[in-house]
Amino acid sequence: DLHATQEKTGMYKHDWTAPKESDISGFDPRSINSINALTGGKGHAPAFSTNPLAPPEDLWDGNRCADDEELLGKLCYKKCSLLTDGKAPIRLSAFSCGKSRGFADFFSAKVVTLVPCEGYDISGDEAGNGCPHKAGTCLVNEEFSLGKCYKRCEDLTVGQYPHRTSADTCCKTKNFLECIDPSNSHFSFGFNVGGGKGAESKSHSPNTKYTELGH
């Protein structure tokens, strides 16, 4: 019967032991503000913007740049850990990455080129791997150009001129010299717009509210 089954399977055994008073003394349940705190974890639960056009950036990671970027001075660069496959994860300058910030590693740092906006002196993938930029990021339907966020040329021209070369010009190719040819580029004041609403309907600086809460 049911009673015999419960006895046989040990359902009546008291395997649980109440915690000692010393284990919970001084504990304030109000200090638990997340599952992570409850379980003793050291990380954090990711938080994301409610704007449907905002990129999926972790807003609690202490990083004011995009998730694949790092801040040096006042500019965001693609993370050295990504650029070097983890071999030189510490950014030492705009052009160099190293294993640490130690004296010896500083002089043995990896440098690809000293040409601005190339090598390690670039922004992250989301920003198009162009020149480093101010802290923050653009909306998902925008692109960086000369440090500002613009609505993507690909959307504005229905794919015919997908590459932005200036605030008012979109081009068929990434090659700047080829874009000088009028047949390859299209100029319009209507291209100088943002992809959002309100203030973000105009071209604008990258916004840190999409990369980190409190900034």
Side-chain angles (χ1 to χ4, degrees), residues 5 11 13 27 48 73 81 86 99 104 123 151 172 187 194 212-213:
T5 301
M11 290 181 66
K13 290 183 179 180
F27 172 72
F48 303 97
S81 59
K99 293 181 179 180
S123 59
K151 189 170 183 178
K172 291 181 178 180
F187 175 90
E212 188 69 12
L213 288 176

Side-chain angles (χ1 to χ4, degrees), residues 185-199:
S185 62
H186 186 59
F187 175 90
S188 172
F189 290 121
F191 295 161
N192 189 0
V193 295
K197 297 180 180 180

Side-chain angles (χ1 to χ4, degrees), residues 38 47 62 66-67 70 118 121 150 158 177 185 196 198 212:
L38 179 62
D67 287 347
E70 57 197 352
E118 293 187 16
D121 185 40
Y150 299 86
V158 198
L177 293 178
S185 62
E212 188 69 12

Side-chain angles (χ1 to χ4, degrees), residues 143 151-163 170:
E143 59 194 351
K151 189 170 183 178
R152 292 182 181 276
C153 276
E154 185 171 5
D155 296 334
L156 290 168
T157 65
V158 198
Q160 293 185 339
Y161 301 88
H163 305 289
C170 298

Side-chain angles (χ1 to χ4, degrees), residues 13-147:
K13 290 183 179 180
H14 298 287
D15 296 327
W16 179 79
T17 302
K20 299 178 182 179
E21 184 176 350
S22 60
D23 293 335
I24 60 176
S25 61
F27 172 72
D28 183 357
R30 292 173 298 179
S31 65
I32 298 178
N33 55 20
S34 70
I35 292 297
N36 200 49
L38 179 62
T39 58
K42 296 182 180 179
H44 59 275
F48 303 97
S49 173
T50 56
N51 186 335
L53 291 176
E57 305 290 339
D58 186 350
L59 302 181
W60 283 114
D61 62 353
N63 183 11
R64 297 173 62 203
C65 303
D67 287 347
D68 65 345
E69 296 177 328
E70 57 197 352
L71 190 67
L72 180 69
K74 295 183 179 181
L75 298 178
C76 294
Y77 299 80
K78 185 170 182 178
K79 289 182 175 179
C80 278
S81 59
L82 299 175
L83 289 167
T84 65
D85 294 324
K87 296 178 181 178
I90 307 300
R91 181 168 288 279
L92 301 175
S93 73
F95 303 99
S96 62
C97 301
K99 293 181 179 180
S100 74
R101 292 187 174 86
F103 184 80
D105 284 327
F106 182 83
F107 286 98
S108 62
K110 290 180 175 292
V111 177
V112 175
T113 178
L114 295 178
V115 177
C117 304
E118 293 187 16
Y120 296 156
D121 185 40
I122 60 172
S123 59
D125 295 347
E126 294 179 18
N129 299 133
C131 295
H133 58 85
K134 292 181 180 178
T137 190
C138 300
L139 299 172
V140 294
N141 65 340
E142 295 177 328
E143 59 194 351
F144 271 103
S145 181
L146 299 177

